[in-house]
Amino acid sequence: MSEGTSVVMESSENGTDLSQDDIGTIEETPDNTILSRQTSVNLVPFIGQRFVSQEAAYEFYCSFAKQCGFSIRRHRTRGKDGVGRGVTRRDFTCHRGGYPQLKPSEDGKMQRNRKSSRCGCQAYLRIVKRADFDLPEWRVTGFSNIHNHELLKPQQVRLLPAYCTISPDDKSRICMFAKAGMSVRQMLRLLELEKGVKLGCLPFTEIDVRNLLQSFRNVDRDSDAIDLIAMCKKLKDENPNFKYDFKIDCHNRLEHIAWSYASSVQLYEVFGDAVVFDTTHRLDAYDMLLGIWLGVDNHGMTCFFGCVLLQDENMHSFSWALKTFLGFMKGKAPQTILTDHNMWLKDAIAIEMPETKHAFCIWHIIAKFSDWFSILLGSHYDDWKDEFHRLYNMEFVEDFEGGWREMVNKYGFHANKHIISLYALRSFWALSFLRRYFFAGMMGTCQLESINAFIQRFMSAQSQLDHFVEQVADIVDFNDRVGAKQKMQRKLQKVSLKTGSPIESHAATLLTPYAFSKLQEELVLAPQYASLLVDEGCFQVRHHTQIDGGCNVIWIPCQDHISCSCHQFEFSGILCRHVLRVLSTNNCFHIPDRYLPTRWRSVNSSCSNPFRTATTREHSERIQLLESMASTLVTESIETEERLDVACEQMAMVLSRIKDLSRSTHSMNEIAYNCPSDSLILPEVEDADGIVQSFTIGNPHDNITLGKLKERRPRDGIDTIRKRRHCTGPCCGHFGHDGSACSLIGDDDLHGDALGYL
């Protein structure tokens, strides 16, 4: 164990020093340690090292730990997935970090003192999430490799539970071997021969294989399949809008089954323009492929569209899944669909969705690079990956083609089958070929991380098939509730204006906080670009550091038409900095309505959908009324301590009564989540100077009231605050009228007594 340490501090992005928690220690390792003998300099973590995701950092540190002689585990986090900014910090520690804690049993007796490997080891790696506009990344801010225990030898470290994992491919092979009647030892020997490893050097042991096979035997596939179909029929009886379909094979066994909830179908009507179809996971116990359809709503949150279980992975199975999904969604195909690198799925989409643009998720392609190129390129592998990322992000097809040829010549990849295949499929993954199609921001790293976290909840819910459907419903329901709560919190937050531009204040009244933040990022960068008039209606926009080149912007004011050669609006639905620069320099103070898509606006198009029933509209109005009443309750309750006590007491009683009532499956959820009352709750906007702009309900182009309410100076030792006239009765909570003149409750014959505790 090394004694010497050195402390490294890093400054945060805003120029302030990191807290004491973000200070890392790096061990000065002498030459005779395991680390120096077995790892290269490139594998040692360092302060400031960057990763594209948490998983990338975990895999890197895991590789480092394995070569050093220990394993790691995920430890503390700052933040929570799906809440606020999500997880912003993650700690990985040595598997022997911390101390065992004795927990009392149910009968009050202490558990027997079992031996534990934990000994308080202080080795760790800390990563912090930083976001440079649309490029979130994780940086190492703390690292210590000081251990208070002996490190294991290579022959021993591979037996640690963290490294005794069976990959999905190996699980499939083992399942196939078991069907063929092979013994466990025969399976292990055959896998050793296939992988070319020495006897007993597989990453898993005989016990691991036996445990896996036992988990397969513990399920009754035929009985569970019947229970699954019965569960779907039960859900259909409870809610006629629940969709499901299945297929039976020639042996009268379940072959495929797909389902979608009523709320999912309604979400798809609004946000089904861009879809992710993930087919990278399996239900191992049933040897079935799991497919999940997902999308992104106007608040940038992952929404669930449907689920499918397939017995086989081939073109016919995928065709059945896609055809069934389209049937659920009334035949409406998405504009774009994002999938993993699967050729059978590619062919099926070309047949069932010929008008849909199909793209491959770059994550699944990059995940294969280590097997394809790491040994071939050796020390040049990292340089080649950087070159590939540069080509992937190219804006123009011509630049990509030229850069690809240079890369092939530089690394001698003329005959490499993987490079040939990637080039042949370049229109499915290279951004220069995809920017003309709308993907709703799902190609970004941050959005892909959110989608992957949502999928992982499904994988943690694996159990019996009928229970799996219930658990998926619970996950979707929980995600909707969290999403609705987060959307409400965002709407109540002040929106900070950073540029003072009329374009910015105009967009803030229409777009959701998520979409507005994306547009605001472009607005902040727009002044760094020069706009040059080349021809009538044609502008060349380039960064002030560039001498030539740039993007071409076409603007025809009389037709409200504007476009840019970077195609960002077509790709994400958000105007680019080049267009915004042209608009601002030519005295255009509002973005044309067609370039503020309904998809990204605060008021969902689903609220005005002609298919929505009168009952749905009535529920929506009642939800709006409830939100206004709650707002009024808070305003009135904080006046005195007595009011606050009464409000808390009555609210506790109301909540207790509500929780005792039965909860509907999805009908009420879909109304609440798909039709938020953005028309009643508008954000206060704070500009760069700290002046609050409160937007009034109505035309967003109308007057905007500037300035804060001034406070009177303290008089006679008492602070008094000037108040605006508001409703004397418990009505909508808006100012300027009383309860008798309130339009919101006047039509419903509501009065003080009818509003109960209010």
Side-chain angles (χ1 to χ4, degrees):
M1 182 180 70
S2 175
E3 298 279 340
T5 62
S6 60
V7 178
V8 179
M9 294 186 63
E10 185 188 29
S11 295
S12 62
E13 290 184 345
N14 59 7
T16 60
D17 290 336
L18 294 173
S19 64
Q20 185 65 28
D21 290 339
D22 292 332
I23 297 175
T25 62
I26 301 180
E27 181 183 5
E28 297 176 352
T29 312
D31 294 338
N32 59 351
T33 61
I34 295 179
L35 173 63
S36 62
R37 291 200 308 268
Q38 296 186 357
T39 65
S40 64
V41 177
N42 293 333
L43 286 178
V44 180
F46 57 90
I47 301 295
Q49 188 174 8
R50 302 181 180 186
F51 299 96
V52 296
S53 65
Q54 296 184 59
E55 290 303 319
Y58 177 81
E59 291 175 5
F60 178 87
Y61 192 37
C62 193
S63 300
F64 169 80
K66 188 174 184 180
Q67 295 201 33
C68 289
F70 65 100
S71 65
I72 63 172
R73 57 185 172 86
R74 293 175 174 86
H75 194 38
R76 293 173 300 189
T77 62
R78 176 181 293 169
K80 191 175 182 180
D81 281 328
V83 179
R85 293 186 301 162
V87 176
T88 58
R89 194 183 78 183
R90 165 76 73 176
D91 286 1
F92 305 112
T93 63
C94 174
H95 73 290
R96 302 193 66 177
Y99 295 95
Q101 295 181 354
L102 294 178
K103 298 181 180 180
S105 58
E106 295 181 357
D107 56 1
K109 297 181 180 179
M110 299 299 292
Q111 296 179 349
R112 61 190 180 92
N113 188 15
R114 296 182 177 180
K115 290 185 178 180
S116 172
S117 63
R118 297 194 180 187
C119 59
C121 181
Q122 297 295 317
Y124 78 100
L125 177 77
R126 173 173 296 146
I127 56 175
V128 174
K129 187 178 183 179
R130 306 291 172 82
D132 296 330
F133 299 105
D134 196 29
L135 298 173
E137 62 181 10
W138 294 82
R139 297 183 186 176
V140 176
T141 60
F143 170 56
S144 172
N145 200 41
I146 301 176
H147 299 267
N148 61 357
H149 57 87
E150 293 294 330
L151 299 178
L152 302 178
K153 297 178 181 179
Q155 295 81 4
Q156 300 171 323
V157 72
R158 69 180 185 85
L159 298 177
L160 290 174
Y163 303 125
C164 290
T165 57
I166 306 178
S167 68
D169 290 338
D170 289 337
K171 287 181 180 179
S172 299
R173 299 286 291 169
I174 292 171
C175 183
M176 184 181 68
F177 295 156
K179 291 178 180 179
M182 296 177 62
S183 67
V184 173
R185 293 188 179 182
Q186 288 174 330
M187 296 179 191
L188 293 172
R189 185 55 183 153
L190 185 54
L191 288 171
E192 289 168 350
L193 293 174
E194 289 180 347
K195 296 177 178 294
V197 299
K198 295 181 180 179
L199 187 66
C201 291
L202 287 171
F204 46 86
T205 64
E206 181 179 337
I207 295 178
D208 298 321
V209 176
R210 294 188 183 278
N211 289 337
L212 177 65
L213 294 175
Q214 185 60 41
S215 67
F216 291 163
R217 297 189 186 102
N218 287 338
V219 298
D220 185 349
R221 298 187 181 183
D222 294 336
S223 176
D224 288 350
I226 295 173
D227 293 340
L228 173 60
I229 297 173
M231 173 58 65
C232 289
K233 186 178 184 302
K234 176 185 175 184
L235 293 175
K236 181 72 173 179
D237 294 338
E238 293 175 353
N239 189 343
N241 293 322
F242 175 80
K243 308 286 186 181
Y244 81 101
D245 195 6
F246 60 92
K247 182 181 179 182
I248 304 297
D249 63 13
C250 59
H251 301 291
N252 204 30
R253 292 183 177 180
L254 179 65
E255 187 174 5
H256 313 310
I257 186 168
W259 66 92
S260 181
Y261 305 102
S263 61
S264 302
V265 175
Q266 208 162 32
L267 280 171
Y268 184 85
E269 291 181 9
V270 187
F271 306 115
D273 43 13
V275 172
V276 172
F277 185 31
D278 184 273
T279 58
T280 58
H281 300 88
R282 301 184 69 89
L283 295 185
D284 295 319
Y286 297 90
D287 193 26
M288 298 187 79
L289 181 76
L290 173 64
I292 307 173
W293 285 281
L294 302 168
V296 174
D297 66 10
N298 57 341
H299 289 268
M301 304 191 68
T302 303
C303 47
F304 175 85
F305 293 145
C307 202
V308 65
L309 290 172
L310 303 174
Q311 192 68 256
D312 304 308
E313 187 176 0
N314 53 45
M315 194 189 74
H316 298 294
S317 298
F318 287 130
S319 293
W320 182 90
L322 295 170
K323 192 179 300 182
T324 303
F325 179 73
L326 290 178
F328 292 165
M329 305 306 170
K330 305 173 185 177
K332 177 185 174 182
Q335 297 178 24
T336 56
I337 186 167
L338 194 62
T339 72
D340 60 301
H341 189 202
N342 189 306
M343 293 298 101
W344 287 319
L345 184 54
K346 169 182 170 293
D347 295 338
I349 291 175
I351 296 173
E352 303 299 337
M353 299 179 177
E355 303 299 323
T356 299
K357 176 57 182 176
H358 180 202
F360 294 146
C361 178
I362 193 63
W363 272 21
H364 298 301
I365 295 177
I366 293 176
K368 302 175 183 178
F369 283 176
S370 179
D371 295 334
W372 289 354
F373 303 113
S374 59
I375 298 177
L376 180 64
L377 292 172
S379 59
H380 299 292
Y381 174 64
D382 290 336
D383 295 335
W384 176 83
K385 277 189 68 175
D386 293 338
E387 178 71 12
F388 180 86
H389 280 287
R390 187 182 68 83
L391 293 172
Y392 166 72
N393 288 290
M394 287 277 190
E395 286 190 0
F396 304 108
V397 174
E398 297 79 9
D399 295 339
F400 173 85
E401 297 287 357
W404 188 270
R405 286 192 295 269
E406 292 177 5
M407 182 269 291
V408 170
N409 292 331
K410 179 179 179 181
Y411 293 96
F413 279 153
H414 300 87
N416 187 281
K417 63 179 182 180
H418 302 301
I419 292 294
I420 294 173
S421 175
L422 284 174
Y423 183 73
L425 298 170
R426 62 193 181 281
S427 62
F428 288 86
W429 58 265
L431 291 185
S432 55
F433 293 89
L434 301 175
R435 293 188 190 276
R436 292 173 175 80
Y437 304 93
F438 180 71
F439 282 92
M442 292 191 300
M443 303 284 277
T445 302
C446 186
Q447 202 63 59
L448 287 174
E449 278 189 346
S450 176
I451 291 173
N452 184 63
F454 186 84
I455 294 174
Q456 292 307 315
R457 298 176 192 169
F458 283 74
M459 302 315 299
S460 63
Q462 290 195 37
S463 62
Q464 293 180 337
L465 283 181
D466 58 331
H467 294 163
F468 180 72
V469 175
E470 289 181 325
Q471 288 170 333
V472 170
D474 291 339
I475 292 170
V476 173
D477 190 42
F478 172 79
N479 187 70
D480 288 345
R481 291 199 304 272
V482 171
K485 181 179 179 181
Q486 189 170 353
K487 291 171 190 175
M488 183 61 64
Q489 291 173 345
R490 288 177 179 176
K491 287 186 290 184
L492 295 175
Q493 290 176 351
K494 295 178 181 178
V495 178
S496 177
L497 300 184
K498 298 181 180 179
T499 66
S501 166
I503 290 178
E504 185 181 20
S505 58
H506 170 225
T509 63
L510 297 178
L511 300 178
T512 62
Y514 169 80
F516 176 70
S517 67
K518 299 297 181 183
L519 181 68
Q520 192 176 53
E521 291 169 4
E522 299 297 318
L523 275 168
V524 170
L525 292 176
Q528 300 180 15
Y529 288 76
S531 173
L532 308 174
L533 181 63
V534 178
D535 198 356
E536 184 177 358
C538 181
F539 299 83
Q540 189 174 53
V541 183
R542 57 172 174 259
H543 196 266
H544 69 92
T545 59
Q546 292 179 316
I547 300 176
D548 54 8
C551 294
N552 296 322
V553 176
I554 306 296
W555 184 35
I556 307 176
C558 60
Q559 300 178 10
D560 272 349
H561 171 80
I562 191 164
S563 62
C564 181
S565 59
C566 74
H567 299 290
Q568 176 169 313
F569 179 76
E570 293 86 344
F571 187 61
S572 64
I574 303 295
L575 285 177
C576 64
R577 62 200 69 171
H578 315 112
V579 166
L580 295 172
R581 180 60 175 168
V582 170
L583 292 177
S584 61
T585 55
N586 287 274
N587 301 323
C588 182
F589 302 112
H590 288 145
I591 297 175
D593 283 347
R594 64 190 295 185
Y595 297 105
L596 293 172
T598 305
R599 195 213 192 282
W600 293 126
R601 295 198 184 194
S602 294
V603 181
N604 295 344
S605 60
S606 60
C607 295
S608 58
N609 193 316
F611 294 102
R612 297 180 72 86
T613 62
T615 303
T616 301
R617 289 193 295 271
E618 179 184 349
H619 281 308
S620 176
E621 292 171 0
R622 290 167 64 189
I623 292 170
Q624 293 176 353
L625 176 61
L626 178 62
E627 291 173 348
S628 297
M629 290 164 56
S631 177
T632 306
L633 172 67
V634 174
T635 303
E636 294 293 335
S637 300
I638 60 177
E639 294 289 335
T640 64
E641 287 292 333
E642 183 180 1
R643 287 189 175 191
L644 188 60
D645 292 340
V646 172
C648 292
E649 179 182 352
Q650 294 296 324
M651 281 298 297
M653 295 171 58
V654 171
L655 286 175
S656 177
R657 181 180 177 185
I658 290 174
K659 290 179 180 179
D660 290 339
L661 300 176
S662 60
R663 177 183 296 168
S664 176
T665 54
H666 288 281
S667 58
M668 284 299 295
N669 290 337
E670 61 197 54
I671 296 169
Y673 302 145
N674 289 338
C675 199
S677 57
D678 297 333
S679 58
L680 287 179
I681 301 180
L682 293 176
E684 284 189 334
V685 180
E686 183 176 299
D687 63 17
D689 297 327
I691 299 177
V692 172
Q693 303 179 4
S694 59
F695 292 102
T696 58
I697 299 176
N699 191 335
H701 301 283
D702 290 343
N703 295 335
I704 297 176
T705 305
L706 297 177
K708 291 184 177 179
L709 290 175
K710 296 181 180 179
E711 296 184 0
R712 291 182 179 178
R713 294 183 179 180
R715 182 173 55 193
D716 298 332
I718 301 175
D719 292 339
T720 58
I721 301 176
R722 182 180 301 167
K723 297 181 181 179
R724 293 177 286 178
R725 179 170 174 259
H726 57 82
C727 293
T728 56
C731 63
C732 66
H734 289 195
F735 295 94
H737 64 281
D738 57 19
S740 61
C742 182
S743 60
L744 186 60
I745 68 171
D747 298 335
D748 295 328
D749 295 329
L750 295 177
H751 47 81
D753 296 335
L755 294 176
Y757 64 88
L758 287 175

